[in-house]
Amino acid sequence: MADPVVLRDLLREKHWQKYQTFLREYDKAAASIDSSLVGTAPSRAQLHRWQCGELKGLPHPQHCEVLEAMFPGRKAAEMFVPAQRSAAPSTADLAAAVGDGLEGVAPVPSAWSTPLRPVPESSGPLPAKTLRGPAHDQAESLARALQLLGKRRRIPDEEIAELALLAGHLVDLEMECTIDIEPDGWSSVTYRFELLNLTNAPIKRLLREQWFENTDGVRIEPHPDGERRVSIQRLHDIGNMTKFACVLSPPIEPGGIGTVSYTSRGGRFVHDHYWQQSTPRNTRHLTLTIRHRGVDMLVGCTAVEDQPDGAQVSAIDDLFCVEDDEGALITLTRDYLQPGQSVTIRWEVARGGS
């Protein structure tokens, strides 16, 4: 696996790591050189490969020229050498960040990319990360839970530090939405949430809602989990909208991780083929999968991401489409989404004889 390069750190220092922010700054620098360079920025996937050190050599000369204008005094060659690895943040670092989050005074991480300053760890007969005795308070308890999460999931230390800044919130580590559409248009929608409780209280209920443009009545079926039982409490039905709560037993304790899954049926895709998925919480990874059965060909497919401020960016680079014997399969993945964001997929299909 390649090592991240200096460019990644430079973008984070400037808070330019979000792709749309990078595009804005790239075009500013490009305009200062030659107006013909505006709009020549790398794609989202290409920029990711640059930062991860997967590029052999240097980018195209015009890219190098713009990058040097973005970071005066830096040569492009310096930006594509491996970055120095920082030490893992200690429990004290994480506890301080968690404490700020629980008190509501932590800065909101920009794309989860504000690393904490590490504290040197002492050596001894036991590993430096040995935790002795019970946690002194809720902040330290959550900090320990985050450290264990990082070890078990192989999550980079930098991202664990960013998660600490989300203390006080419920976080979706994974959010999966799978839509299965039959040839006659009737569908089932299955959700799976892997939730991390960074609050100081148990999570007993998860409020949800389901909307279909065309429906004969929404039916919701919870999926059993090995660790807890999920029951559905219907709250309100208004036209094509159903509001309900997933009741968890036992609840997800502070610092704990729990999975909630259910399937909604009763929606039908008739003429308009689109799906908008919102993220009510900070979401580390979103996977949206659409299986449209009984179609012969995908005629078109687009994806966009809506920002909390109302801006809209293309998500086409993270869209994957397949035609097979069963029909069409569409998959969209996005990372580090904030509350208030959404992604929308629109697709057109052709059937035999059409």
Side-chain angles (χ1 to χ4, degrees):
M1 182 181 294
D3 291 325
V5 298
V6 170
L7 176 62
R8 182 202 63 174
D9 293 343
L10 293 175
L11 292 174
R12 289 182 172 186
E13 289 173 6
K14 293 282 191 178
H15 302 292
W16 295 348
Q17 65 272 25
K18 293 201 71 171
Y19 184 63
Q20 57 269 29
T21 306
F22 170 82
L23 288 182
R24 182 189 66 214
E25 298 302 326
Y26 184 98
D27 283 343
K28 281 183 185 178
S32 69
I33 301 169
D34 187 333
S35 59
S36 66
L37 296 178
V38 175
T40 63
S43 67
R44 183 191 296 268
Q46 190 176 4
L47 179 62
H48 176 74
R49 289 193 295 271
W50 285 7
Q51 295 183 73
C52 291
E54 297 175 2
L55 182 67
K56 302 297 183 183
L58 295 177
H60 189 278
Q62 71 177 23
H63 287 142
C64 291
E65 190 175 8
V66 177
L67 288 174
E68 290 175 354
M70 292 175 69
F71 302 101
R74 293 272 190 172
K75 296 294 184 183
E78 300 173 13
M79 303 182 200
F80 289 88
V81 298
Q84 291 185 352
R85 293 181 179 271
S86 59
S90 69
T91 305
D93 289 316
L94 292 177
V98 168
D100 287 345
L102 293 176
E103 294 177 10
V105 296
V108 176
S110 177
W112 301 11
S113 58
T114 305
L116 297 174
R117 183 179 61 182
V119 175
E121 297 174 329
S122 61
S123 59
L126 290 175
K129 294 181 181 177
T130 298
L131 305 178
R132 296 181 180 275
H136 293 91
D137 53 29
Q138 187 69 65
E140 184 178 345
S141 178
L142 287 177
R144 291 185 176 189
L146 284 172
Q147 288 179 306
L148 287 173
L149 172 67
K151 283 298 180 185
R152 290 171 177 168
R153 302 294 183 89
R154 295 293 190 265
I155 299 176
D157 295 322
E158 295 89 346
E159 187 174 345
I160 291 298
E162 294 163 3
L163 277 170
L165 295 176
L166 296 176
H169 299 276
L170 184 63
V171 177
D172 281 318
L173 293 177
E174 299 278 347
M175 176 180 177
E176 300 174 3
C177 175
T178 302
I179 306 169
D180 198 320
I181 307 171
E182 296 296 333
D184 60 4
W186 291 107
S187 65
S188 63
V189 181
T190 299
Y191 282 97
R192 180 183 178 277
F193 302 93
E194 188 176 36
L195 301 161
L196 171 62
N197 183 6
L198 290 180
T199 74
N200 55 11
I203 299 298
K204 302 178 181 179
R205 299 168 80 242
L206 188 68
L207 296 178
R208 296 292 299 150
E209 60 184 37
Q210 185 68 67
W211 177 87
F212 290 113
E213 184 174 12
N214 303 282
T215 181
D216 63 353
V218 178
R219 301 174 294 281
I220 307 166
E221 175 189 348
H223 297 167
D225 179 78
E227 296 183 359
R228 60 182 41 83
R229 185 170 62 88
V230 179
S231 59
I232 301 300
Q233 179 185 13
R234 296 184 82 105
L235 302 176
H236 207 46
D237 291 301
I238 310 175
N240 294 355
M241 170 76 74
T242 296
K243 295 187 176 183
F244 59 97
C246 297
V247 182
L248 314 180
S249 179
I252 305 174
E253 296 296 333
I257 297 175
T259 300
V260 176
S261 181
Y262 62 86
T263 296
S264 298
R265 293 182 172 86
R268 191 178 190 184
F269 291 80
V270 181
H271 301 295
D272 296 328
H273 295 142
Y274 70 93
W275 188 264
Q276 183 178 67
Q277 183 59 57
S278 60
T279 53
R281 295 172 292 276
N282 287 287
T283 301
R284 179 172 180 258
H285 183 68
L286 167 68
T287 302
L288 177 56
T289 303
I290 301 170
R291 163 62 79 177
H292 200 152
R293 303 179 187 276
V295 301
D296 295 322
M297 182 174 62
L298 267 176
V299 178
C301 188
T302 62
V304 295
E305 177 183 307
D306 290 307
Q307 306 297 299
D309 62 2
Q312 193 174 74
V313 297
S314 172
I316 196 74
D317 288 341
D318 292 330
L319 189 63
F320 184 70
C321 302
V322 175
E323 296 172 350
D324 56 24
D325 294 339
E326 296 184 55
L329 180 66
I330 304 168
T331 301
L332 176 67
T333 58
R334 302 295 276 179
D335 297 321
Y336 307 120
L337 299 172
Q338 300 174 28
Q341 289 193 248
S342 64
V343 295
T344 304
I345 297 179
R346 296 182 181 274
W347 70 100
E348 297 180 26
V349 299
R351 302 178 185 271
S354 62

